[in-house]
Amino acid sequence: MAISIKISKTNQSRIKECDFENIEFGKIFSDHMFRVDYKDGMWQNPEILPYGNISISPALSSLHYGQAVFEGMKAFKDPSGNPQLFRPLDNYKRINQSAYRMGMPAITEELFIEGLSQLVKLDQDWIPTKEGSALYLRPFMFATDDFVGVRPSVNYTFMIFCCPVNSYYPKPIRVKVEKTYVRAFKGGVGFAKAAGNYGMSMLPTMEAKKEGFDQIVWTDGEEHKYVEESGTTNLFFVLNDKTVLTPEIDGNILQGVTRDSCIKLLREGGYDVVEKKISLKEIADAFNEGLLTDAFGTGTAALIAKIESIYNEGENYILPNAEDRKVSNWLYKKLSDVQTSKIIDTHNWVYQLV
Ligand code: COI
């Protein structure tokens, strides 16, 4: 049975206040949002309502114990102006993997997909069409019991809001290999898109920024010998414009939807993609032998973020100029052309909304 979502439209759209030519990432919100509450063991009263503040208790358990998970997705327009999502079912699966690890209930596929679809259709005029821009979608779930003891919450809220965005990183990034702090370890929550994974990254990233870097590269928690992911993206390293290395999925890193799309597109484009443990020594050797021709991060927000330099304990590996990056330039175009239907989607990744 199709679900019924109550829709209350705003009587005052803010779209005219949005300067689509100069959007700062994550600061502008579209007119509406989706909300559904989990009470008495079931999701209840799904609704789309005007975007705005929500009222919470100071004892809200997610604020204290961190039962909060989220997703990042994007909506685009095809060349005829019709709205579409990119691989929404993959994000649906991942939010439930994250929720499971945090002891939270699963959101149903119907609520996730219908909530997203109806919200994006309603706010489709907010989808920017300038190259590199999109409507960023933020589904998230958090515990809502007002209770101070430590136990899984009984009540939860799932919501989605939307932000028109340009690229997350306007220019190539300088990264620093992090060897003091640890993001993930075996049996931990590294694979989950849990709010706490980002909370604990703030201090190390702040320290790196003070030293002039844009981002950190996490290394394994046991030896700080292998690269894992950056603070906002999965990582790829290119040897001789031919072989592409990326850390394997091992429970510690986020199973990026963009990562997976990039691996598939690269393989189809004739590149050898190797998913494995990648040591810092391997990266250093490749750089010193002149083989490291490209390096980049991938993520929904960042799409393909070129890495300008990698700093590792006193050594700074400076990579070729951004314009000369054969692989990341090819991949960026290919991926954005699929997402905006400028080329045929042979993978069934595009989810049309009309
Ligand atoms: C995303 O890429 O969607 C993320 O959630 C990363 C965040 C830093 C914006």
Side-chain angles (χ1 to χ4, degrees), residues 194-215:
N197 276 343
Y198 295 81
M200 65 84 207
S201 75
M202 301 297 172
L203 176 70
T205 312
M206 252 159 51
E207 289 180 0
K209 284 193 174 161
K210 271 194 214 143
E211 295 170 48
F213 302 101
D214 302 302
Q215 253 309 329

Short mmCIF file of all heavy atoms in Angstrom, two decimals, residues 194-215:
data_model
loop_
_atom_site.label_atom_id
_atom_site.label_comp_id
_atom_site.label_asym_id
_atom_site.label_seq_id
_atom_site.Cartn_x
_atom_site.Cartn_y
_atom_site.Cartn_z
N ALA A 194 27.97 7.85 11.00
CA ALA A 194 27.46 8.23 12.31
C ALA A 194 27.99 9.62 12.65
O ALA A 194 29.15 9.92 12.36
CB ALA A 194 27.94 7.21 13.35
N ALA A 195 27.15 10.43 13.26
CA ALA A 195 27.54 11.82 13.56
C ALA A 195 28.85 11.88 14.33
O ALA A 195 29.71 12.73 14.06
CB ALA A 195 26.42 12.50 14.34
N GLY A 196 29.04 10.93 15.27
CA GLY A 196 30.24 10.94 16.11
C GLY A 196 31.54 10.79 15.33
O GLY A 196 32.59 11.27 15.74
N ASN A 197 31.48 10.10 14.17
CA ASN A 197 32.69 9.95 13.35
C ASN A 197 33.17 11.31 12.84
O ASN A 197 34.35 11.47 12.53
CB ASN A 197 32.40 9.06 12.14
CG ASN A 197 32.51 7.59 12.49
OD1 ASN A 197 33.09 7.24 13.51
ND2 ASN A 197 31.97 6.73 11.65
N TYR A 198 32.24 12.23 12.70
CA TYR A 198 32.61 13.57 12.23
C TYR A 198 32.96 14.46 13.42
O TYR A 198 33.89 15.26 13.35
CB TYR A 198 31.48 14.16 11.37
CG TYR A 198 31.31 13.34 10.09
CD1 TYR A 198 30.60 12.14 10.10
CD2 TYR A 198 31.94 13.71 8.91
CE1 TYR A 198 30.50 11.35 8.96
CE2 TYR A 198 31.85 12.94 7.76
CZ TYR A 198 31.12 11.76 7.80
OH TYR A 198 31.03 10.97 6.67
N GLY A 199 32.24 14.27 14.53
CA GLY A 199 32.51 15.05 15.73
C GLY A 199 33.96 14.90 16.18
O GLY A 199 34.66 15.86 16.49
N MET A 200 34.42 13.64 16.18
CA MET A 200 35.78 13.42 16.69
C MET A 200 36.86 13.84 15.69
O MET A 200 38.03 13.89 16.02
CB MET A 200 35.95 11.98 17.17
CG MET A 200 35.87 10.92 16.13
SD MET A 200 37.44 10.75 15.36
CE MET A 200 36.93 10.16 13.80
N SER A 201 36.44 14.17 14.45
CA SER A 201 37.44 14.61 13.46
C SER A 201 37.71 16.12 13.54
O SER A 201 38.65 16.62 12.92
CB SER A 201 36.96 14.28 12.04
OG SER A 201 35.94 15.17 11.64
N MET A 202 36.90 16.83 14.34
CA MET A 202 37.01 18.31 14.32
C MET A 202 38.36 18.78 14.85
O MET A 202 39.00 19.63 14.24
CB MET A 202 35.88 18.95 15.14
CG MET A 202 34.48 18.62 14.67
SD MET A 202 34.15 19.23 13.00
CE MET A 202 32.56 18.48 12.68
N LEU A 203 38.79 18.25 15.99
CA LEU A 203 40.05 18.73 16.58
C LEU A 203 41.26 18.44 15.67
O LEU A 203 42.02 19.38 15.34
CB LEU A 203 40.25 18.12 17.98
CG LEU A 203 41.58 18.49 18.63
CD1 LEU A 203 41.62 19.97 19.02
CD2 LEU A 203 41.84 17.63 19.86
N PRO A 204 41.45 17.19 15.22
CA PRO A 204 42.59 16.96 14.31
C PRO A 204 42.54 17.82 13.05
O PRO A 204 43.58 18.32 12.59
CB PRO A 204 42.47 15.48 13.94
CG PRO A 204 41.54 14.87 14.92
CD PRO A 204 40.75 15.94 15.58
N THR A 205 41.33 18.03 12.51
CA THR A 205 41.22 18.83 11.28
C THR A 205 41.53 20.30 11.57
O THR A 205 42.20 20.98 10.78
CB THR A 205 39.82 18.67 10.66
OG1 THR A 205 39.51 17.29 10.61
CG2 THR A 205 39.76 19.24 9.25
N MET A 206 41.05 20.77 12.74
CA MET A 206 41.35 22.17 13.13
C MET A 206 42.86 22.36 13.25
O MET A 206 43.42 23.36 12.80
CB MET A 206 40.74 22.44 14.51
CG MET A 206 39.54 23.35 14.49
SD MET A 206 38.55 23.14 15.99
CE MET A 206 39.72 23.30 17.30
N GLU A 207 43.52 21.38 13.86
CA GLU A 207 44.98 21.47 14.04
C GLU A 207 45.68 21.49 12.68
O GLU A 207 46.60 22.28 12.46
CB GLU A 207 45.49 20.31 14.89
CG GLU A 207 45.07 20.45 16.35
CD GLU A 207 45.54 19.30 17.23
OE1 GLU A 207 46.20 18.37 16.74
OE2 GLU A 207 45.23 19.34 18.45
N ALA A 208 45.21 20.63 11.77
CA ALA A 208 45.83 20.59 10.43
C ALA A 208 45.60 21.91 9.69
O ALA A 208 46.49 22.42 9.00
CB ALA A 208 45.26 19.42 9.64
N LYS A 209 44.40 22.48 9.87
CA LYS A 209 44.10 23.76 9.19
C LYS A 209 45.00 24.87 9.69
O LYS A 209 45.46 25.71 8.92
CB LYS A 209 42.62 24.11 9.35
CG LYS A 209 41.77 23.27 8.43
CD LYS A 209 40.36 23.76 8.28
CE LYS A 209 39.67 22.89 7.22
NZ LYS A 209 38.25 22.92 7.24
N LYS A 210 45.26 24.85 10.99
CA LYS A 210 46.16 25.87 11.56
C LYS A 210 47.54 25.77 10.92
O LYS A 210 48.26 26.75 10.81
CB LYS A 210 46.30 25.66 13.07
CG LYS A 210 45.25 26.40 13.85
CD LYS A 210 45.64 26.44 15.33
CE LYS A 210 44.37 26.37 16.17
NZ LYS A 210 44.48 25.60 17.38
N GLU A 211 47.92 24.56 10.51
CA GLU A 211 49.24 24.37 9.88
C GLU A 211 49.18 24.62 8.37
O GLU A 211 50.16 24.38 7.67
CB GLU A 211 49.73 22.94 10.13
CG GLU A 211 49.99 22.63 11.60
CD GLU A 211 50.23 21.12 11.80
OE1 GLU A 211 51.02 20.53 11.05
OE2 GLU A 211 49.59 20.56 12.69
N GLY A 212 48.00 25.03 7.86
CA GLY A 212 47.90 25.39 6.43
C GLY A 212 47.38 24.29 5.53
O GLY A 212 47.43 24.42 4.31
N PHE A 213 46.85 23.21 6.12
CA PHE A 213 46.30 22.15 5.27
C PHE A 213 44.78 22.30 5.19
O PHE A 213 44.18 22.96 6.02
CB PHE A 213 46.66 20.77 5.85
CG PHE A 213 48.15 20.58 5.98
CD1 PHE A 213 48.78 20.72 7.22
CD2 PHE A 213 48.91 20.31 4.86
CE1 PHE A 213 50.15 20.58 7.33
CE2 PHE A 213 50.29 20.17 4.97
CZ PHE A 213 50.92 20.31 6.20
N ASP A 214 44.20 21.64 4.18
CA ASP A 214 42.74 21.72 4.03
C ASP A 214 42.05 20.52 4.68
O ASP A 214 40.89 20.60 5.08
CB ASP A 214 42.36 21.72 2.54
CG ASP A 214 42.98 22.87 1.80
OD1 ASP A 214 42.73 24.03 2.19
OD2 ASP A 214 43.77 22.63 0.85
N GLN A 215 42.74 19.41 4.74
CA GLN A 215 42.11 18.18 5.21
C GLN A 215 43.16 17.23 5.78
O GLN A 215 44.35 17.39 5.50
CB GLN A 215 41.42 17.46 4.04
CG GLN A 215 39.91 17.52 4.05
CD GLN A 215 39.26 17.12 5.35
OE1 GLN A 215 39.77 16.29 6.10
NE2 GLN A 215 38.12 17.71 5.65
#
